[in-house]
Amino acid sequence: MSTTSTSTTAAATVAEHAADTARPLLAESAAGHHRILTGDRPTGPLHLGHYFGTLQNRVQLQSQGLELMIVIPDYQVITDRDRADRLAEHVENLVLDYLAAGVDPARATIFTHSSVPALNQLMLPFLSLVSIAELSRNPTVKDEIAHSRQAAVSGLMFTYPVHQAADILFCKADLVPVGQDQLPHLELTRTVARRFNDRYAAIFPEPQALLSDAPLLLGTDAGKMSKSRNNAITLGADEDETARLLRGAVTDPDRRITYDPDHRPGVSNLLLLSALCQGRDPHQVAEEIGDGGAAVLKRTTTEAVNEYFRPLRARRAELATDRALLRETLRAGSARANAIADRTLDEVRAAMGTF
Ligand code: TRP
């Protein structure tokens, strides 16, 4: 099966999951009774797609008073590659991105997989609750196997969605802000929670996905924005680099600028990016540029991005000089996550009758 058709199949199946697991962002009145858990693999810095897709949501939810937990799933890095390269650097960069974007280190719990043993131990009973057939039809895993750098599929690749269920259930999170591709994992997490509750004792809530309502931002080549495809503008990029990347963005020769994502993906993506940065409608931005062509579009977008991200980038640069704060954020996060995971594992032991 070709890469393209695998992705299309994955997208179709993912969409079927969307209806039952996803719901829009919460009304303000619902704040206070929820624990949010989400995470990003430490494989590189976050980019503008992450920012508008999920990071902005998390910060908003936190400011509504919801409790925010962020896992940096370092064990998931080795699902599709042999080694996790430059891990410490990637983890620190993620923490920098979070704090610069407005995650409050005093209220949020940020931790890595590998620093919370009891979380990982939950994977054992959880694995017993799912069948090999269920694991093998997960569309996101199939897609990742198709894009993997490894010749053979490892046991961890096959079972990491169960690990992800442990990430979410160890702290009894009820809301998980993620992108569409993660919905099959959320569905599996709900299945694991339900089966554990039925078989042993009612310990786990069934979490729900929260999807961002911002349309998907593409990379500068008008393909999926991704760290590994060299088409991403990172949060920490400086203004010159942003200008350079946007100058090289794929557009089309039609001088009249219109917002038409289906037929003009490159042009429309720049309009969307400008609009997101300015809190405006992309059609309106297009109208203003009129017959200015791609050059004006790129200049407008560069200014919008640089202006919007200037304060975040300044904070990021300042925080980058404070390695001690980053380390302390992770240390405190890990201590808190361990306390929660130990409590949950005790409950699981009692429910299962193990010692
Ligand atoms: N699998 C997610 C990704 O690839 C990262 C992740 C790991 C995650 N554990 C999680 C996301 C728990 C949400 C909740 O992006």
Side-chain angles (χ1 to χ4, degrees):
M1 193 186 271
S2 80
T3 308
T4 328
S5 62
T6 312
S7 308
T8 315
T9 317
T13 324
V14 167
E16 286 163 24
H17 285 272
D20 24 299
T21 46
R23 67 178 201 189
L25 281 181
L26 296 176
E28 199 117 356
S29 61
H33 311 285
H34 299 282
R35 176 176 278 171
I36 305 212
L37 180 124
T38 187
D40 306 282
R41 295 185 196 201
T43 51
L46 296 181
H47 52 61
L48 305 190
H50 292 119
Y51 182 83
F52 290 111
T54 152
L55 195 48
Q56 202 184 27
N57 260 349
R58 301 178 198 173
V59 173
Q60 242 165 44
L61 290 163
Q62 179 185 253
S63 66
Q64 290 178 19
L66 280 75
E67 184 189 354
L68 184 57
M69 315 266 304
I70 304 182
V71 61
I72 299 179
D74 46 3
Y75 281 133
Q76 276 183 24
V77 176
I78 44 173
T79 53
D80 67 350
R81 64 199 83 194
D82 293 342
R83 291 178 53 91
D85 285 327
R86 300 190 292 153
L87 199 52
E89 180 192 327
H90 289 324
V91 169
E92 281 194 359
N93 271 322
L94 278 181
V95 178
L96 264 182
D97 286 335
Y98 297 147
L99 301 189
V103 170
D104 176 359
R107 286 192 286 156
T109 303
I110 306 175
F111 59 98
T112 60
H113 259 162
S114 58
S115 69
V116 188
L119 181 164
N120 294 293
Q121 189 174 332
L122 287 176
M123 192 166 169
L124 293 175
F126 287 179
L127 275 170
S128 78
L129 297 168
V130 296
S131 69
I132 299 250
E134 283 170 317
L135 292 175
S136 45
R137 51 172 185 259
N138 184 306
T140 299
V141 172
K142 279 193 198 164
D143 198 45
E144 281 166 354
I145 288 172
H147 288 99
S148 164
R149 313 176 177 193
Q150 294 178 311
V153 180
S154 75
L156 188 61
M157 167 63 97
F158 212 55
T159 55
Y160 91 80
V162 182
H163 200 174
Q164 186 158 335
D167 296 344
I168 297 168
L169 296 178
F170 95 91
C171 64
K172 304 185 183 179
D174 58 340
L175 297 173
V176 187
V178 282
Q180 285 274 349
D181 64 317
Q182 299 294 304
L183 293 179
H185 303 346
L186 247 292
E187 196 49 50
L188 181 79
T189 302
R190 292 159 60 84
T191 302
V192 165
R194 204 159 47 237
R195 290 186 187 156
F196 188 97
N197 293 347
D198 286 349
R199 191 168 302 179
Y200 300 107
I203 291 180
F204 298 111
E206 282 183 45
Q208 284 187 304
L210 288 175
L211 289 176
S212 161
D213 49 15
L216 194 68
L217 206 54
L218 302 175
T220 49
D221 59 357
K224 179 182 185 235
M225 194 185 283
S226 159
K227 305 173 236 206
S228 55
R229 296 184 194 192
N230 264 333
N231 64 1
I233 302 170
T234 62
L235 285 184
D238 66 26
E239 303 202 356
D240 289 345
E241 194 186 347
T242 303
R244 186 177 57 74
L245 291 167
L246 286 171
R247 258 197 313 276
V250 170
T251 51
D252 60 50
D254 190 345
R255 288 199 63 80
R256 172 129 204 105
I257 297 304
T258 52
Y259 187 65
D260 181 357
D262 287 341
H263 302 106
R264 305 183 74 184
V267 163
S268 301
N269 188 53
L270 296 184
L271 288 167
L272 173 63
L273 177 54
S274 290
L276 286 168
C277 290
Q278 298 178 327
R280 296 169 71 197
D281 182 277
H283 291 100
Q284 208 189 348
V285 181
E287 213 144 287
E288 228 168 68
I289 298 172
D291 290 322
V296 177
L297 172 62
K298 288 177 178 180
R299 203 161 54 237
T300 307
T301 309
T302 301
E303 277 163 22
V305 170
N306 283 341
E307 179 135 345
Y308 181 82
F309 286 100
R310 197 165 293 136
L312 182 154
R313 287 169 168 172
R315 264 197 310 279
R316 196 181 188 286
E318 199 184 310
L319 288 162
T321 63
D322 194 350
R323 287 322 212 207
L325 172 72
L326 302 182
R327 294 277 163 179
E328 175 52 24
T329 301
L330 283 165
R331 196 207 53 76
S334 154
R336 223 178 102 63
N338 269 290
I340 296 171
D342 288 344
R343 264 202 314 277
T344 303
L345 188 58
D346 278 346
E347 285 180 77
V348 165
R349 283 201 189 95
M352 296 178 68
T354 54
F355 282 96

